[in-house]
């Protein structure tokens, strides 16, 4: 997911997407622990995707906090 696509999401969609990706990451880690998954780089990519989503959410919270002051 590109940064332009992430910034186009609403805050509620961001929170839902973070939850979804974290669940996906947990499933991938368990699958990899049981038996090696075909493409272990997917774990790294999902982890980075969660970080990108969290970064956008934090940026929005900071922006709304600065507007209120």
């Amino acid at each position: 997911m590109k940064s332009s696509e992430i910034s186009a999401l609403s805050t509620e969609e961001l929170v839902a997407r973070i939850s979804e990706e974290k669940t996906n990451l947990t499933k991938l880690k368990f699958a990899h622990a049981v038996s090696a998954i075909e493409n272990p780089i997917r774990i790294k990519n999902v982890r980075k995707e969660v970080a990108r989503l969290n970064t956008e959410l934090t940026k929005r919270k900071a922006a709304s906090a600065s507007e209120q002051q």
Side-chain angles (χ1 to χ4, degrees):
M1 185 173 243
K2 295 182 181 179
S3 62
S4 60
E5 294 171 346
I6 292 173
S7 55
L9 295 173
S10 70
T11 305
E12 294 81 22
E13 290 173 330
L14 262 178
V15 172
R17 184 68 188 234
I18 289 170
S19 175
E20 179 182 316
E21 291 295 328
K22 282 185 178 181
T23 304
N24 188 19
L25 179 61
T26 304
K27 287 179 183 178
L28 280 173
K29 284 182 178 181
F30 278 125
H32 189 63
V34 172
S35 64
I37 58 176
E38 186 176 318
N39 188 4
I41 295 174
R42 284 181 49 207
I43 295 173
K44 179 176 125 178
N45 292 339
V46 172
R47 190 175 68 237
K48 286 185 176 186
E49 185 70 26
V50 170
R52 285 185 192 104
L53 292 167
N54 278 325
T55 300
E56 179 66 26
L57 186 62
T58 303
K59 187 171 28 170
R60 289 184 187 186
K61 286 181 180 178
S64 68
S66 67
E67 288 176 0
Q68 291 177 354
Q69 291 179 353

